Amino acid sequence: MLLSIIIPIYNSKKYLTKCLSSIASQLDADAEIICVDDGSTDGSEVICDEFAANHDNVKVFHKPNGGVSSARNLGLENASGKYIAWVDSDDYVADNWYLAIKEILLQDYDIVCFDYFRVENDRSKKMAYGGKSRILNKAAYIAELTLDEKVLSYLHTRVFKKVLFTELKFPRDISLMEDYSIIHKLFYDAEKIYYLAEPLYFYIIRNDSVSHSVHLGNCFKAMFIAKERYQWLTARGVKVSDVAYLKHYIYFVVAVIKEQECDSWKKELELCHQEISLNIKALLLSKDVSIKNKVKYVMEYTNTLNIAYKILSFVKFGGGKP
């Protein structure tokens, strides 16, 4: 078996049929779909079973709800393919997705990366890494990956050799950024990485999804996940910018201010202030920080960021609360 496509599923009835159909319609005997139903209660579980009954290369595993990490891990345990592809249950793939990546996989690359479309409110925008299809320089790509600007930490825009997951499991103690927390380790262990300059995936922005809603606890946890990644890489001699993790500190500060929760998160805000203050010079001198974000760092450093957002809210809402 060449490829296993793992789809973690939880209450995705509205999108699931389109997702599964977009993949199954183009597969051959060298590929399988693994649906991991993470305790769905909206009928997604029924769609999975019906799809498997009509497709020999579709496997379904039902489990009690335990989060996306546990679903990914179960999929890995049951995958037969030499390679692993990840698809979110509310997304779908291009008509030539399988044939395009299969041609590259047969050349024995460790990771294959490709472009995608970002779809929001029925409008799609092509998100491209840029340049021609080519073999990537691993060190340079990891450095870009950690900045989360041009290269994002998505599993679904890459295909990985299964062997890269041999010593890796998705962390079950986090409900967000589970891909972010391990993807740098996959690239670190890879040797041959290929970029296919073709958009093959449709990433759907759902306003009601967990990953696109503000949750201050998750924002706070993201700071430590980002710093842990930075420390893991630097400990192994990989040169990455410290901006890669510090940006998550300012994201948290801004989120707390916008949600008007400064009093509830006072200790956490002070921790952020200390970390930013220790690195303010490097942040201001860094070419990896936009002018807009440099202004935010300075305002946080001088304790004026909260005041600025209050003024903006006052102006925007005519003196009322946002």
Side-chain angles (χ1 to χ4, degrees), residues 257 295 299 303-315:
I257 292 172
V295 171
M299 295 182 77
N303 292 311
T304 58
L305 190 59
N306 190 10
I307 297 171
Y309 272 98
K310 284 183 177 179
I311 293 172
L312 286 172
S313 295
F314 184 88
V315 172

Side-chain angles (χ1 to χ4, degrees), residues 105-275:
L105 297 182
L106 291 174
Q107 299 176 46
D108 202 40
Y109 286 97
D110 295 320
I111 301 177
V112 176
C113 311
F114 47 86
D115 298 329
Y116 67 103
F117 288 103
R118 187 179 190 272
V119 183
E120 186 171 12
N121 297 324
D122 295 324
R123 293 186 177 182
S124 61
K125 180 181 179 181
K126 181 181 175 180
M127 310 298 290
Y129 179 58
K132 297 180 179 180
S133 298
R134 62 193 183 276
I135 297 173
L136 295 175
N137 178 285
K138 182 170 79 170
Y141 192 79
I142 289 177
E144 288 186 296
L145 178 73
T146 57
L147 285 173
D148 277 316
E149 297 286 350
K150 187 178 180 181
V151 179
L152 300 179
S153 298
Y154 294 150
L155 292 172
H156 51 248
T157 56
R158 287 106 180 183
V159 177
F160 306 85
K161 266 189 180 176
K162 186 184 178 184
V163 68
L164 294 173
F165 291 95
T166 302
E167 302 297 328
L168 281 179
K169 296 292 183 185
F170 288 93
R172 297 188 61 172
D173 59 333
I174 62 174
S175 58
L176 201 68
M177 294 176 69
E178 80 288 344
D179 45 2
Y180 183 104
S181 67
I182 74 163
I183 198 167
H184 58 289
K185 298 178 181 179
L186 296 168
F187 277 95
Y188 180 82
D189 287 336
E191 293 298 331
K192 296 171 60 182
I193 305 169
Y194 191 83
Y195 164 61
L196 179 60
E198 191 170 350
L200 299 173
Y201 191 96
F202 290 83
Y203 176 53
I204 310 300
I205 303 299
R206 285 172 52 191
N207 294 326
D208 61 337
S209 70
V210 172
S211 59
H212 298 107
S213 60
V214 173
H215 188 288
L216 297 179
N218 282 334
C219 287
F220 186 64
K221 189 174 288 187
M223 291 165 30
F224 298 99
I225 296 172
K227 188 169 185 178
E228 182 179 300
R229 178 160 88 168
Y230 169 78
Q231 292 173 331
W232 191 93
L233 288 167
T234 53
R236 287 158 179 78
V238 181
K239 297 184 71 174
V240 294
S241 171
D242 49 9
V243 174
Y245 82 89
L246 288 167
K247 66 193 302 181
H248 287 274
Y249 282 71
I250 202 69
Y251 289 166
F252 173 73
V253 172
V254 170
V256 171
I257 292 172
K258 284 185 174 181
E259 294 294 309
Q260 300 184 33
E261 293 286 347
C262 293
D263 290 339
S264 302
W265 294 85
K266 190 175 293 184
K267 289 182 179 179
E268 292 82 1
L269 288 174
E270 179 57 31
L271 184 152
C272 292
H273 179 73
Q274 292 173 4
E275 192 79 20

